[in-house]
Amino acid sequence: MENGANFTYIRLTGYLNLDFKMNYFLFSVITVLYSTIIFANSFLIGVICSAKALHKPMYLFLCSLFVNELYGSTALFPSLQVNLILNNNEISLIYCYLQIFCLYTYAMIEFCNLAVMSFDRFVSICYPLQYNRIMTPFRVGVLIALVWSNCFIQFLILFSFNSKLQLCGNIMDKVWCDNYLLVKLACSKTSLNNTYGIYVNVMTAMIPLTLILYSYTRILRICLSFTKEAKQKALSTCAPHIISLLNFSLGCFFETIQSRFDNIRMPALLRIIISVYFLMFQPVLSPIMYGIRLKNIRQVCKNLVVSKVGIT
């Protein structure tokens, strides 16, 4: 079947039929959560940029991570707020494509950022004497630029394929636009889209995860030869990264499973929670984990608070 309709909007049926009071309550919760994400990530970006003591590779990679959290959450939260407050589950096709681009590149950049951060920890712990020679400011800048540009270019190519699809339907069982479900709505051939989609997943998810696994395998081997105190110090700097990685990877895994296999039976509310978990809670977890767990960031934040109190 090649003939498609000229749909101008997508109907998101993932929204539950709730009354106005419940919609308003959810709108309030999402607004508080989004405001927290903006404040926490923006605050830590400002702290890292303003404190010269934090102008080091590890914290510059963190800054890139926090910017990505703002980018991804901004692609999701405003649309949820509008749909809840207006009690409307329809979005324009153009905005649907835009949301797909932003959310998918957010996930790709997140994995690549975490991979680069694991490499930084690997060099720092396994080659401490060569660390400054290897992780120069120029190379750090190049790595961050490559992470963002590579993910945008990779998905732009896939995006160009998907934008040419003829759609035979406009109903998507989600609360946000999903590229996989959009391709399923197509009546034109999608073999090229599916093949390149697999390639993009391998390049921006599987390869970064392999690099992360390799880095931490080497780190664990090195740590076994450390003294107890040195071992604790090394592992304490890696703990936030490992927790962040596990949280995001598991969230993406469960979302992929539940969206790809329609025969999995689960309550509608649970399906919604799984679909938004990695998009909602990763941007909250990252600033909490790195802001609280990393001693240098904590110290700079304390100094800022003390200086502000001293001024007043």
Side-chain angles (χ1 to χ4, degrees), residues 111 114 209 242-258 273-275 277-279 282:
F111 274 122
L114 291 171
L209 286 173
I242 294 172
I243 294 171
S244 180
L245 172 66
L246 289 175
N247 178 72
F248 190 70
S249 298
L250 290 175
C252 289
F253 174 76
F254 287 122
E255 156 58 11
T256 302
I257 294 298
Q258 70 95 13
I273 292 172
I274 290 175
S275 73
Y277 177 84
F278 75 103
L279 296 169
Q282 184 71 8

Side-chain angles (χ1 to χ4, degrees), residues 36 39 49 69 74 123 165 181 185 208 210 216 258 273 278 300 305:
T36 303
F39 171 77
C49 291
E69 306 299 5
T74 301
V123 176
L165 293 174
L181 296 182
L185 293 175
T210 302
Y216 277 105
Q258 70 95 13
I273 292 172
F278 75 103
V300 171
V305 172

Side-chain angles (χ1 to χ4, degrees), residues 12-302:
L12 300 172
T13 59
Y15 290 93
L16 302 176
N17 293 321
L18 304 172
D19 58 29
F20 176 76
K21 289 184 178 179
M22 183 55 68
N23 276 352
Y24 188 77
F25 171 74
L26 291 175
F27 171 82
S28 301
V29 171
I30 289 173
T31 300
V32 170
L33 190 60
Y34 184 40
S35 301
T36 303
I37 290 170
I38 292 175
F39 171 77
N41 286 280
S42 298
F43 175 74
L44 289 177
I45 291 170
V47 167
I48 293 171
C49 291
S50 61
K52 290 185 179 180
L54 300 180
H55 291 178
K56 298 176 181 178
M58 177 181 177
Y59 303 106
L60 296 177
F61 291 136
L62 276 178
C63 195
S64 174
L65 188 73
F66 296 145
V67 170
N68 192 46
E69 306 299 5
L70 291 175
Y71 169 63
S73 57
T74 301
L76 175 69
F77 281 86
S79 67
L80 294 179
Q81 290 171 305
V82 170
N83 291 342
L84 284 171
I85 203 68
L86 297 180
N87 197 23
N88 180 22
N89 63 350
E90 294 179 357
I91 65 171
S92 69
L93 185 61
I94 293 175
Y95 183 79
C96 183
Y97 277 119
L98 177 62
Q99 188 176 57
I100 286 172
F101 177 82
C102 293
L103 291 179
Y104 273 74
T105 50
Y106 158 73
M108 293 160 65
I109 292 167
E110 192 80 2
F111 274 122
C112 291
N113 260 328
L114 291 171
V116 170
M117 289 168 66
S118 71
F119 174 74
D120 174 69
R121 292 298 84 208
F122 161 67
V123 176
S124 175
I125 294 170
C126 299
Y127 301 98
L129 298 180
Q130 291 84 28
Y131 180 75
N132 291 329
R133 181 176 59 83
I134 297 173
M135 301 301 291
T136 62
F138 175 76
R139 286 177 179 168
V140 171
V142 168
L143 284 173
I144 293 173
L146 281 175
V147 164
W148 285 79
S149 60
N150 175 62
C151 292
F152 279 132
I153 291 170
Q154 294 279 5
F155 197 78
L156 268 174
I157 297 172
L158 180 62
F159 192 70
S160 66
F161 295 152
N162 294 349
S163 62
K164 298 174 183 176
L165 293 174
Q166 290 290 322
L167 302 181
C168 287
N170 69 333
I171 297 175
M172 196 177 294
D173 189 21
K174 272 278 182 52
V175 295
W176 52 274
C177 276
D178 184 2
N179 185 68
Y180 174 76
L181 296 182
L182 187 72
V183 172
K184 283 183 68 176
L185 293 175
C187 16
S188 51
K189 293 181 180 180
T190 61
S191 56
L192 179 60
N193 306 67
N194 295 330
T195 302
Y196 189 76
I198 293 171
Y199 166 77
V200 170
N201 286 332
V202 170
M203 292 298 294
T204 58
M206 298 307 297
I207 289 180
L209 286 173
T210 302
L211 177 61
I212 292 168
L213 182 62
Y214 171 79
S215 297
Y216 277 105
T217 301
R218 293 289 304 274
I219 288 172
L220 287 174
R221 284 182 180 177
I222 292 292
C223 285
L224 292 176
S225 62
F226 286 177
T227 63
K228 185 178 180 180
E229 184 179 344
K231 190 183 300 183
Q232 288 178 343
K233 183 179 179 181
L235 294 178
S236 66
T237 61
C238 296
H241 182 266
I242 294 172
I243 294 171
S244 180
L245 172 66
L246 289 175
N247 178 72
F248 190 70
S249 298
L250 290 175
C252 289
F253 174 76
F254 287 122
E255 156 58 11
T256 302
I257 294 298
Q258 70 95 13
S259 65
R260 296 302 191 271
F261 300 98
D262 299 330
N263 58 347
I264 297 178
R265 294 183 179 180
M266 64 175 68
L269 181 60
L270 179 60
R271 187 177 290 274
I272 293 172
I273 292 172
I274 290 175
S275 73
V276 299
Y277 177 84
F278 75 103
L279 296 169
M280 279 190 172
F281 294 100
Q282 184 71 8
V284 177
L285 180 67
S286 291
I288 292 174
M289 287 303 304
Y290 293 108
I292 294 175
R293 297 280 307 199
L294 295 182
K295 182 180 177 181
N296 288 348
I297 291 182
R298 278 204 320 270
Q299 188 59 48
V300 171
C301 291
K302 286 180 182 178

